[in-house]
Amino acid sequence: MTALSQGDVPAASSPLLKTRGLLAMALAALLLGVAAPRLVSSQLMLSLATQAIFDALLATSVGFLVLQNGRVSFGQAAFFGLGGYAFGVLVARGLMAAELAVLTALALPTLVAFLLGLVFARIAGVAHAMLTLAVGQAFYEIAFRWRELAKGDDGMAFNLPPRIFGFDSSLLQDPSVMVVVAWTILVLALLGLALFANSRMGQIAAAVRDNAERARFIGHDTTIPPAIVYAISALLAAIAGLLQATYNGYIAPQMFHWSLSGSALIMAVVGGAQFILGPAIGAVCFFILKDFAGRFAEYWPAIVGSVLVIVTLVMPQGIVGLLKAGWFRMRRQA
Amino acid sequence: MFKAVMMTGVALGAMLSVSGAALAADPLKIGVATDMSGTYASLGEEVMRATRFAIDEANAAGGVDGHKVEFKSYDTEAKPDVARRQVEKLVMEGYPVITGMIASGEGLAIAPLMQRWGSLYISVVNKADELTGANCAPRVFRVNTQSAMDAATVKPWLKERKEKKWAVVAIDIAWGRGSAELFSKAVKETGGNMVAELFPPANTNDFAPYIEQIKKAGAEGVWVVLAGRDAVNFAQQSKQFGLTDAITVAGVSFTTDGTVKTLGDSAKGVFGIINYSSTLDTPENKAFVKAWTDKYKVPPTNFEGEAYLGYQVLFQAVKDAKSVKTDDIVKALPGKTYDTIMGKLVLRAEDRQLLKPNYFGIVEAVNGELRPVVKTTVAAADVAPEVVCKTK
Amino acid sequence: MAIQLLNGIVYGGLLYLLAVGLVLIFGLREVVNFAHGALFMLGSYIGFTLAAAGHWWLGLLVSVVAMAAVGCLLDVLVFRSLRKHDHIVTVLITFGLLLILETVVTVTWGKAYLSYPVPKLLDGTVTIAGSPFPIYRLFIIVVSLLVAGGLAAWLRYTRMGLYVRAASTNAHVTSIQGIDVDRLSLVVVGLGTALAGLSGVVAGPLLTLSPTMGNYILIDSFIVVVIGGLGSFAGAFFAALLIGQIHNLGAIYLPWAATMLPFLLMIGILIWRPTGFAGSRT
Amino acid sequence: MSEAIAIQGIGIERRYGGFRALKGVDITVRRGEIRGLIGPNGAGKSTLIDVLSGRVRGQPGQVLIDGRDVSRLKPQERRRLGLARSFQRTNIFPMLSVEQQLRIASWAVAEAGVEEVMEELNLTALARMPAAEISYGDQRRLDLALALVGRPSVLLLDEPAAGLTVEESHGLATILRDLANRWNVTVLLVEHDMQVVFSICDGITVLHLGETLAEGNVAEIRADQRVVTAYLGTEA
């Protein structure tokens, strides 16, 4: 993780002041989100924004694992898919109330990730990436081939129950509503991650990431904090999967596929995985890039590929890393 | 994008030569969401070729009932979530008549959304029965042959055959499993028996273990339910193992024009279900094949034929509706008889599936080129699937 | 049974040819090369045009030479500047290369599937254990054994091979000892890419040519490299044979789990021993 | 100086395959004592520290802290009982700031005193700096500070002066002597710099080939012929 170690550590100003600043920023972002549907009239823009936010959530989940645990995951789609599938399957079969299905869809991936985290946290580098890839693909194979579960490779459409948490559920498939829901969740998630990173547990996890052995010798347990980070990261991915499944009314095995995990990782790194905000920004940029490149029909992979190579070579610290470096240079000159 | 612009240019050129009334009419705007870069990129290419052909032809004739035809296309990467996004974009950007998706999963993913978006979808490749069966949705139509229709074609053919010991190699996805099951049933009903049922996973590189098992089981014939890359891999490798020459090889989606062209001699003598063939002997088809061959130098493939069929049906419905509004087209489409390259065909009102004949054929040399040639025709009424759909 | 084992060796051999290129490049440059599958695909296409015209062997030669050149170019233009970067950054860049190569091939050769002829010399079957077996498949085994043997000899008995082994164990130390790592890596990356070209042509008569063909075999090759212990040549050889057998026997005896077996094996081995069964590096 | 035993190792064994790195070593460090652990390379000094601190577990032998058997406890559990250690190769948290990592260290132990430790080890000015960006000498002191947070009762130091200049290592020795006295920390010190060892240690244990060769005060060890032959040489 050499690139990570170059990232400078945020100067710890007064924690209270910092928290207050964060809260103010989050509040402003939330208000902006609520206002968005009134400011943007195009349903298409709102729908694209909604889907970009799902990507941002997934990318944030991947980036958080890099930031807090120093681990690169190639299988984060496993939790994205698990969240979507748990909800879709439970609702489609009417096995439980929709509210309970939502909770299950969030709790199950979180728990699975926590248990896996207890084992995976020991393993670093390429081996870790391959391990998560294998786990993700194992889930994919199950979803792809288990036809009785959700029609295997074809995927499954399902209808939402009329009401969820007392609200008309069809609103969740309306972009002007979903965009606000998803944005709110993203903002709260980012705020939560920032608070976690400043919390004792978050800082201990960061210490374990930096040097697990020394963390033991200064008296900290080195199994639980990383596992908690895995769990939180999986929870975020599951939220993204749950939202996408709800919005589309459809689940398909591609939700588990490594190429999705890979894109999320690309978004996170392009945005700057060593910053909490980086992956979300990377996801939005990547989404816009791909949407733009899509106009050139079958040539889009080459466009995306070229941009990826150039961007990564020019700014290995990601977009946020570059912005931050630029900001410091400006301040120094001023 | 620039293709769409070019198309518009071509269309405009055509427009200038026709009456002023046509210029005033609203254009018919078609959104083609198909796979341009993923697993099925080559099928997507065939869909695009048929699209250009059909639309050029219509515009050259002064448009559809005076309406100029325009289209826009996006890549779905054969992924349901991408398909959803691209179709939504097409609809919102003003191209509400959707067609072109390859994988059944894509079609099934966007089908329920058509009602909400006020758009309509005409399937030209999706095979899953559910699309017009258990999961049928309003504003969703299908002109291509669904799996159940292929299955119904097997029995008439099996009755003519001497082979009694059959093996099946089917891709381990919903389509392969379903087709294999129907085939086994047909074999048993015609007095034969199954000696091996093998389900290789999608995108298998090495078919040797399956080929070995077919040989070991002593099968006299093997029924192959593989498509695209899998089909080519299997055909190539079983030829190398001497299997193709030793026993009868037949299949569904196995002997498509594309596969046969790729395989060359390895495909010779292979039997298969044919959904459309450029060799069909009807005046309409002959005219179509001639026009096509003049333009592209090669005859149309089965997918190109079925995709073209979709445009024929759509354009006639627009004429009947005298409108390009989706609500009007949706009302006009079902329950009518259409003049097509495959004869007069009915788009059944109950499930919005086009009832069409199906064929059984063999790969033979035609004018020095290997091509699947129709040997048995099964009438539309005999392959018509049961109506399962309950949504209007 | 003999035939089934033989089939396993064929697929294992093919995986080895691909995996060993990954090992070479990873060992020296610490680059997890996601573009390797695309290079394999490119090699296959480069050989195709000549092979289809009846010059199979010439196609093989041209592909190997051309891919070696592509490899050298890649090393100079891309991998060299990646040295300072993290694994994850190199993954992104090689992924970008993959996308570019796929488009280049799509534009040059089209999207339609293509199929390779078997060279005339190797066409036909021989009878093994009472049933016909393609001569071409035996040829694949021979090629992979030749490559494995040649590589082992090169690593063992030449000065350069010694450096490669040293560099693969610890690139840092080697650069201190005054070896020109840049020149070394030019040769090694060129060789690794040439092997991708070789395997592309050799795999041609078995696999359908399509711009995405590399993706379907890349993951298997990664599994081989990881199980073999990242950076270990002998490990990759045995892991490839093992995965080849697992694919074959799994398809016959455990069809419902066949696709998962290599993944499960990889998970098991990584948890038991994160460096793979022959590896010592992290 | 009380006579109570702070840390004790009894019959410590350590095998790597067939090789016995420690052959049943006994060691006792009394409360408040600074004991030097010396011996040639490969004598087993670092291995002994590893066993005492819990880096290595599950081999024959017993480790007692204040008379309590901790042989089965993990390093973090031993740390919470007051056993801290430093490392031969700098072992810090490179991406965290000096203050942040000391604060994190303080959470594991009852007493905090992060500012105090920074003050004593001259790290206050560097509080906000990421550890990777401070000088090597500062990193060595940070390593020591990490062990000293919360005033451990026993401190195991594995060559704290390794790689330091002569002045730096003597400065470090002074700080150590001073802190051990004021904070009543028991120290077991592995060090090659005999100047440092002789100037601050109360007692010395000499290891040779995995066995205790000699034990005694500075004068006794300097006079011991076996030690001189095996390790010190004539110059010492």
Side-chain angles (χ1 to χ4, degrees):
Chain A
M1 294 289 102
T2 48
L4 289 180
S5 54
Q6 289 157 9
D8 38 358
V9 176
S13 52
S14 149
L16 187 69
L17 209 73
K18 209 171 166 185
T19 310
R20 218 183 271 166
L22 276 175
L23 287 176
M25 268 181 357
L27 194 66
L30 285 179
L31 290 175
L32 189 73
V34 174
R38 281 160 196 81
L39 301 175
V40 180
S41 58
S42 158
Q43 288 285 298
L44 179 60
M45 287 303 291
L46 290 176
S47 186
L48 290 178
T50 307
Q51 292 167 71
I53 295 171
F54 299 160
D55 282 1
L57 272 168
L58 183 61
T60 301
S61 119
V62 178
F64 185 62
L65 209 55
V66 177
L67 175 72
Q68 281 286 336
N69 278 3
R71 296 290 184 270
V72 172
S73 168
F74 252 84
Q76 206 65 2
F79 308 114
F80 178 84
L82 206 52
Y85 261 64
F87 180 69
V89 169
L90 290 172
V91 162
R93 310 206 163 177
L95 288 178
M96 53 175 75
E99 292 78 12
L100 214 54
V102 169
L103 293 181
T104 312
L106 298 182
L108 183 68
T110 311
L111 183 69
V112 170
F114 179 78
L115 295 176
L116 288 176
L118 292 176
V119 183
F120 287 10
R122 296 189 291 119
I123 297 158
V126 179
H128 183 272
M130 288 299 148
L131 197 56
T132 48
L133 172 86
V135 170
Q137 283 306 93
F139 275 107
Y140 170 76
E141 289 291 341
I142 292 172
F144 191 86
R145 300 179 52 167
W146 189 4
R147 278 167 291 280
E148 294 74 21
L149 179 74
K151 309 202 171 173
D153 60 298
D154 276 346
M156 181 176 76
F158 61 95
N159 291 319
L160 296 177
R163 303 194 84 78
I164 296 182
F165 292 112
F167 293 100
D168 179 0
S169 69
S170 69
L171 289 175
L172 290 174
Q173 296 183 331
D174 175 351
S176 55
V177 175
M178 191 48 140
V179 77
V180 180
V181 174
W183 175 257
T184 307
I185 290 175
L186 177 66
V187 171
L188 293 179
L190 291 171
L191 176 68
L193 294 186
L195 293 177
F196 176 85
N198 288 335
S199 74
R200 279 196 177 194
M201 184 58 82
Q203 293 192 50
I204 293 173
V208 174
R209 166 206 67 201
D210 247 22
N211 188 341
E213 181 185 56
R214 190 60 201 247
R216 276 192 287 280
F217 284 100
I218 60 171
H220 289 297
D221 176 82
T222 54
T223 315
I224 302 292
I228 288 178
V229 171
Y230 275 93
I232 293 175
S233 141
L235 174 64
L236 282 179
I239 292 174
L242 171 67
L243 288 177
Q244 197 199 65
T246 310
Y247 185 61
N248 289 353
Y250 197 82
I251 48 177
Q254 282 81 1
M255 293 178 82
F256 291 96
H257 200 261
W258 73 265
S259 58
L260 182 64
S261 306
S263 322
L265 184 63
I266 289 173
M267 295 170 196
V269 176
V270 165
Q274 57 274 58
F275 308 95
I276 286 178
L277 214 53
I281 290 174
V284 172
C285 293
F286 195 76
F287 192 94
I288 294 170
L289 168 67
K290 216 180 145 188
D291 197 63
F292 167 78
R295 296 180 188 183
F296 301 95
E298 56 261 69
Y299 303 105
W300 73 260
I303 298 172
V304 172
S306 313
V307 173
L308 199 58
V309 170
I310 294 165
V311 163
T312 326
L313 282 177
V314 173
M315 36 188 187
Q317 299 276 304
I319 296 167
V320 174
L322 196 75
L323 289 178
K324 203 171 169 193
W327 170 250
F328 276 127
R329 203 169 307 143
M330 254 171 52
R331 280 223 312 211
R332 218 166 290 156
Q333 279 167 0
Chain B
M1 174 68 177
F2 70 82
K3 267 183 192 144
V5 172
M6 260 169 52
M7 279 314 310
T8 319
V10 171
L12 274 176
M15 292 298 298
L16 290 176
S17 61
V18 297
S19 69
L23 274 171
D26 292 333
L28 170 62
K29 293 173 118 180
I30 302 171
V32 186
T34 194
D35 187 0
M36 301 179 189
S37 63
T39 325
Y40 301 118
S42 66
L43 298 195
E45 201 171 34
E46 294 179 47
V47 167
M48 289 309 297
R49 211 162 19 219
T51 300
R52 281 188 211 108
F53 179 85
I55 292 177
D56 283 357
E57 187 186 54
N59 285 332
V64 176
D65 197 26
H67 299 279
K68 191 179 75 169
V69 187
E70 293 171 7
F71 82 96
K72 191 169 196 175
S73 61
Y74 285 129
D75 182 8
T76 63
E77 303 168 43
K79 293 174 185 161
D81 63 318
V82 180
R84 186 230 194 255
R85 187 179 310 159
Q86 304 292 40
V87 169
E88 184 175 26
K89 270 171 71 181
L90 288 168
V91 173
M92 303 287 176
E93 286 169 358
Y95 296 82
V97 179
I98 301 298
T99 187
M101 270 163 282
I102 311 287
S104 290
E106 301 176 79
L108 288 165
I110 62 112
L113 299 166
M114 292 296 109
Q115 182 87 325
R116 195 191 309 163
W117 293 340
S119 47
L120 71 103
Y121 173 54
I122 300 175
S123 156
V124 292
V125 185
N126 303 152
K127 283 216 158 258
D129 297 339
E130 287 90 339
L131 189 66
T132 48
N135 284 28
C136 71
R139 293 172 168 261
V140 175
F141 305 84
R142 169 156 53 195
V143 299
N144 62 302
T145 312
Q146 58 170 277
S147 288
M149 293 156 78
D150 283 336
T153 313
V154 172
K155 226 162 137 183
W157 178 74
L158 270 179
K159 277 184 192 147
E160 300 167 7
R161 304 298 304 178
K162 310 184 291 294
E163 298 87 355
K164 290 296 165 215
K165 284 155 85 178
W166 283 94
V168 62
V169 180
I171 183 170
D172 193 7
I173 62 174
W175 168 63
R177 288 273 174 180
S179 303
E181 199 178 308
L182 291 168
F183 178 77
S184 309
K185 215 173 118 207
V187 165
K188 279 163 203 152
E189 283 167 9
T190 50
N193 68 309
M194 299 301 300
V195 292
E197 292 179 69
L198 308 170
F199 298 96
N203 293 312
T204 293
N205 286 315
D206 187 9
F207 279 96
Y210 305 99
I211 293 167
E212 215 50 56
Q213 282 173 279
I214 297 168
K215 282 206 257 178
K216 228 186 200 164
E220 294 161 350
V222 58
W223 182 253
V224 185
V225 192
L226 298 171
R229 194 186 120 82
D230 290 314
V232 177
N233 277 354
F234 176 79
Q236 206 161 276
Q237 293 172 19
S238 55
K239 178 84 179 176
Q240 288 162 11
F241 270 99
L243 186 75
T244 320
D245 298 327
I247 68 173
T248 305
V249 180
V252 53
S253 288
F254 182 45
T255 53
T256 62
D257 293 278
T259 320
V260 170
K261 192 170 167 238
T262 304
L263 283 169
D265 275 350
S266 302
K268 203 170 176 181
V270 171
F271 292 90
I273 290 177
I274 299 169
N275 298 142
Y276 164 81
S277 165
S278 57
T279 62
L280 287 179
D281 197 11
T282 65
E284 296 89 344
N285 187 51
K286 280 185 164 161
F288 164 62
V289 172
K290 185 175 181 310
W292 181 284
T293 317
D294 285 348
K295 185 164 182 175
Y296 294 119
K297 310 291 172 252
V298 286
T301 66
N302 54 314
F303 292 113
E304 286 162 349
E306 285 194 288
Y308 180 74
L309 192 61
Y311 289 106
Q312 284 197 306
V313 169
L314 171 67
F315 293 162
Q316 285 173 48
V318 170
K319 266 182 209 145
D320 288 346
K322 300 199 185 311
S323 160
V324 292
K325 291 204 179 67
T326 52
D327 289 354
D328 299 329
I329 302 174
V330 165
K331 271 197 211 96
L333 269 167
K336 278 203 189 71
T337 305
Y338 292 89
D339 284 315
T340 74
I341 47 172
M342 298 176 76
K344 284 193 186 307
L345 304 180
V346 178
L347 186 79
R348 188 158 66 180
E350 290 87 345
D351 59 356
R352 299 171 287 278
Q353 163 74 44
L354 186 72
L355 301 180
K356 55 201 282 281
N358 214 3
Y359 311 93
F360 216 101
I362 187 167
V363 178
E364 279 178 356
V366 181
N367 307 329
E369 289 268 338
L370 281 178
R371 230 188 291 165
V373 177
V374 169
K375 293 289 170 189
T376 316
T377 304
V378 187
D382 293 333
V383 293
E386 211 181 312
V387 175
V388 183
C389 176
K390 291 193 180 67
T391 344
K392 278 281 170 192
Chain C
M1 194 64 195
I3 296 255
Q4 280 152 6
L5 290 180
L6 211 54
N7 277 325
I9 298 174
V10 172
Y11 191 57
L14 211 51
L15 283 180
Y16 170 73
L17 289 180
L18 207 53
V20 78
L22 280 170
V23 171
L24 278 167
I25 296 173
F26 181 82
L28 210 71
R29 281 297 191 200
E30 299 243 334
V31 166
V32 182
N33 188 8
F34 260 73
H36 203 69
L39 292 168
F40 160 82
M41 179 269 297
L42 181 65
S44 202
Y45 271 94
I46 289 179
F48 174 78
T49 312
L50 281 164
H55 310 289
W56 198 91
W57 298 97
L58 188 62
L60 180 73
L61 185 72
V62 168
S63 170
V64 168
V65 173
M67 291 308 291
V70 169
C72 294
L73 216 60
L74 268 184
D75 187 60
V76 174
L77 294 181
V78 185
F79 294 165
R80 196 163 286 184
S81 62
L82 291 183
R83 223 172 334 166
K84 306 179 291 292
H85 296 317
D86 208 6
H87 281 321
I88 182 176
V89 171
T90 66
V91 165
L92 253 58
I93 289 182
T94 56
F95 188 76
L97 286 174
L98 175 152
L99 292 176
I100 297 171
L101 286 175
E102 273 182 18
T103 315
V104 166
V105 169
T106 306
V107 170
T108 317
W109 282 278
K111 290 173 194 168
Y113 298 123
L114 299 173
S115 86
Y116 246 82
V118 176
K120 285 204 179 59
L121 187 66
L122 303 170
D123 209 356
T125 55
V126 288
T127 305
I128 297 178
S131 76
F133 193 83
I135 297 171
Y136 189 78
R137 286 188 172 244
L138 296 175
F139 169 69
I140 294 180
I141 298 180
V142 172
V143 171
S144 52
L145 287 178
L146 282 177
V147 168
L151 206 63
W154 183 63
L155 290 171
R156 208 179 178 116
Y157 299 114
T158 66
R159 194 167 188 77
M160 194 151 218
L162 180 77
Y163 290 159
V164 172
R165 275 191 295 157
S168 300
T169 327
N170 193 337
H172 185 62
V173 171
T174 321
S175 66
I176 289 171
Q177 288 168 345
I179 298 169
D180 184 351
V181 178
D182 275 342
R183 219 195 59 180
L184 191 63
S185 113
L186 193 69
V187 173
V188 168
V189 175
L191 180 64
T193 314
L195 282 171
L198 174 79
S199 45
V201 177
V202 168
L206 251 61
L207 303 180
T208 313
L209 249 73
S210 72
T212 52
M213 69 190 282
N215 302 349
Y216 306 114
I217 201 164
L218 181 69
I219 298 275
D220 272 348
S221 326
F222 271 143
I223 293 178
V224 164
V225 175
V226 171
I227 289 181
L230 295 157
S232 158
F233 294 95
F237 182 75
F238 292 111
L241 288 182
L242 180 67
I243 293 292
Q245 291 304 337
I246 285 179
H247 260 286
N248 240 272
L249 300 178
I252 296 170
Y253 299 107
L254 274 176
W256 56 272
T259 46
M260 290 234 264
L261 289 177
F263 289 116
L264 295 179
L265 182 73
M266 180 160 87
I267 294 172
I269 285 188
L270 282 175
I271 288 177
W272 169 59
R273 208 166 175 182
T275 50
F277 67 39
S280 54
R281 339 175 355 140
T282 43
Chain D
M1 201 185 289
S2 83
E3 288 301 295
I5 294 171
I7 185 163
Q8 190 175 18
I10 304 165
I12 306 285
E13 293 262 346
R14 172 68 171 141
R15 290 193 183 87
Y16 299 101
F19 174 67
R20 285 175 79 194
L22 292 175
K23 305 167 184 167
V25 171
D26 296 326
I27 189 163
T28 303
V29 188
R30 278 174 229 292
R31 168 115 309 148
E33 180 186 22
I34 297 184
R35 176 161 288 273
L37 182 60
I38 62 171
N41 283 329
K45 305 180 301 284
S46 290
T47 310
L48 184 57
I49 297 278
D50 284 349
V51 173
L52 293 176
S53 64
R55 195 187 206 176
V56 174
R57 295 189 301 278
Q59 297 225 350
Q62 259 190 319
V63 179
L64 306 175
I65 301 176
D66 293 329
R68 177 179 169 186
D69 186 352
V70 298
S71 312
R72 292 173 170 279
L73 296 188
K74 293 176 189 155
Q76 58 263 45
E77 291 162 330
R78 296 187 197 189
R79 172 70 168 126
R80 284 178 224 141
L81 290 175
L83 174 72
R85 70 166 288 184
S86 74
F87 291 81
Q88 191 175 345
R89 288 166 114 184
T90 310
N91 203 344
I92 53 177
F93 302 95
M95 288 164 67
L96 305 182
S97 74
V98 169
E99 184 183 354
Q100 196 186 1
Q101 54 191 287
L102 290 173
R103 199 161 300 286
I104 292 170
S106 75
W107 294 333
V109 289
E111 237 174 301
V114 172
E115 286 74 15
E116 188 183 18
V117 172
M118 285 201 293
E119 201 61 47
E120 295 288 352
L121 290 171
N122 293 329
L123 291 167
T124 312
L126 305 170
R128 299 274 179 88
M129 294 283 284
E133 289 172 21
I134 63 179
S135 74
Y136 181 72
D138 292 335
Q139 288 182 346
R140 294 299 304 173
R141 273 182 288 121
L142 175 57
D143 197 332
L144 191 59
L146 282 170
L148 276 167
V149 168
R151 298 192 180 186
S153 59
V154 182
L155 187 57
L156 311 175
L157 299 177
D158 194 357
E159 298 194 34
L164 296 184
T165 62
V166 176
E167 288 110 74
E168 280 174 330
S169 52
H170 286 202
L172 195 72
T174 317
I175 296 175
L176 262 180
R177 173 91 257 178
D178 177 43
L179 279 184
N181 273 336
R182 281 196 286 128
W183 291 2
N184 192 26
V185 183
T186 307
V187 179
L188 179 62
L189 171 72
V190 173
E191 187 51 66
H192 277 294
D193 187 334
M194 285 306 125
Q195 297 286 331
V196 171
V197 174
F198 292 152
S199 69
I200 69 173
C201 289
D202 304 311
I204 293 176
T205 299
V206 185
L207 280 189
H208 183 57
L209 298 174
E211 283 172 307
T212 314
L213 185 68
E215 250 181 319
N217 61 33
V218 174
E220 285 163 1
I221 293 301
R222 292 183 87 152
D224 192 311
Q225 202 50 47
R226 288 171 307 164
V227 179
V228 174
T229 327
Y231 180 53
L232 293 177
T234 43
E235 300 144 59

